[in-house]
Amino acid sequence: MRILIANDDGYLATGLAALVQACEGLGEITVFAPEQNASGTSNALTLGRPLNIFQARGARGHAVHVVNGTPSDCVHLALTGVMSQRPDLVLSGINNGANMGDDTLYSGTVAAAMEGYLFGVPAIAFSQAEKGWGEIDAAAATARAIVEQVLSQVRLDGAPWLLNVNIPNRADALQLPRVVTRLGRRHASEPVIRQTNPRGEPIYWIGPAGDARECGEGTDFHAVAQGRVSITPLQVDLTDHAALGLWAARTAQPAA
Ligand SMILES: Nc1nc2c(ncn2[C@@H]2O[C@H](COP(=O)(O)O)[C@@H](O)[C@H]2O)c(=O)[nH]1
């Protein structure tokens, strides 16, 4: 089995190294990762300049194809010709912090996995609930266990699937219950942070993520808050199918 592993925190990130190390022995592992931290870059592709790839070693010595681009660039390049053989599975992470609810729309971690899914390759995005890499090896062992469990239940050569996994930063993560959840929702982000640079010019920082707004039973927020591992199956079809008839009526044109 060929596994492509990517991330968005950069090729030297602890979470990437822990995931690669934990997955050793599962198959032939190839790593593509961004040169810089690309958190929040979503599904961005770099179209306005060429990309470069150089070979390097990650935080725990694993070989990495380092791309001066986004997480989606990494997987896109790998799957459109740089990898000589197509992988059977794409893994992304382990992210430094949660990707729950609305985060999944901005997340480079989820986007890297989604890029594989869009190319028809099953994919899983892994994030740790709290920043700082606390208990990262327990999270990595949990990620491997989830990969092994999923692979025992589903073929890799069927229809692709995409999972978003959030793991509490706990030493006993491997023993925690795993629950399948739906995405919750956050409140809108906190206000912009205004500052002045040394030249007296205004600068602006994106404010912190909003608190959870829809975090009831069954959501990813609720599961993680209860000390469980959240597994959310994702889809990419953004069509609001329930609203098709409504908009057909609103935009109907008189018969010619
Ligand atoms: N508005 C803000 N959103 C934030 C911030 N820090 C994180 N986030 C959200 O989390 C994900 C992280 O995902 P990643 O895989 O890209 O690292 C990010 O995409 C945002 O949705 C923040 O400070 N403000």
Side-chain angles (χ1 to χ4, degrees), residues 8-9 38-41 95 98-99 103 106-109 131 189 206-209:
D8 87 329
D9 291 318
S39 189
T41 55
N95 192 61
N99 273 302
D103 299 340
Y106 297 107
S107 167
T109 304
K131 291 180 184 290
S189 287
I206 297 289

Side-chain angles (χ1 to χ4, degrees), residues 145-165:
I146 290 170
V147 170
E148 290 177 316
Q149 182 178 17
V150 168
L151 295 186
S152 72
Q153 299 295 318
V154 63
R155 296 171 58 90
L156 287 177
D157 58 359
W161 36 265
L162 175 60
L163 299 179
N164 183 47
V165 179

Side-chain angles (χ1 to χ4, degrees), residues 60-204:
R60 295 185 185 179
H62 55 278
V64 186
H65 303 274
V66 182
V67 179
N68 60 344
T70 67
S72 292
D73 289 332
C74 291
V75 177
H76 194 96
L77 289 181
L79 296 183
T80 56
V82 176
M83 275 184 79
S84 55
Q85 290 182 291
R86 180 182 166 92
D88 303 295
L89 177 67
V90 173
L91 304 179
S92 177
I94 301 174
N95 192 61
N96 186 19
N99 273 302
M100 299 191 286
D102 315 62
D103 299 340
T104 55
L105 297 176
Y106 297 107
S107 167
T109 304
V110 172
M114 191 178 289
E115 193 71 12
Y117 172 80
L118 292 172
F119 277 86
V121 183
I124 308 176
F126 291 103
S127 301
Q128 261 196 309
E130 305 296 332
K131 291 180 184 290
W133 310 122
E135 306 299 350
I136 188 62
D137 286 311
T142 305
R144 178 185 175 120
I146 290 170
V147 170
E148 290 177 316
Q149 182 178 17
V150 168
L151 295 186
S152 72
Q153 299 295 318
V154 63
R155 296 171 58 90
L156 287 177
D157 58 359
W161 36 265
L162 175 60
L163 299 179
N164 183 47
V165 179
N166 283 272
I167 304 170
N169 297 49
R170 288 176 48 161
D172 63 346
L174 191 55
Q175 288 75 41
L176 294 177
R178 300 170 198 156
V179 291
V180 174
T181 62
R182 68 182 188 277
L183 296 179
R185 290 298 308 275
R186 287 187 184 278
H187 289 288
S189 287
E190 297 299 312
V192 67
I193 298 168
R194 299 167 191 269
Q195 292 180 340
T196 302
N197 73 10
R199 294 181 175 79
E201 300 159 333
I203 54 176
Y204 303 89

Side-chain angles (χ1 to χ4, degrees), residues 19-31:
L19 180 59
V20 171
Q21 191 169 51
C23 290
E24 283 172 358
L26 281 180
E28 178 188 343
I29 293 174
T30 303
V31 184

Side-chain angles (χ1 to χ4, degrees), residues 206-228:
I206 297 289
D211 290 334
R213 173 164 59 88
E214 287 177 28
C215 51
E217 179 87 27
T219 63
D220 45 5
F221 289 104
H222 186 269
V224 169
Q226 295 296 311
R228 297 173 181 143

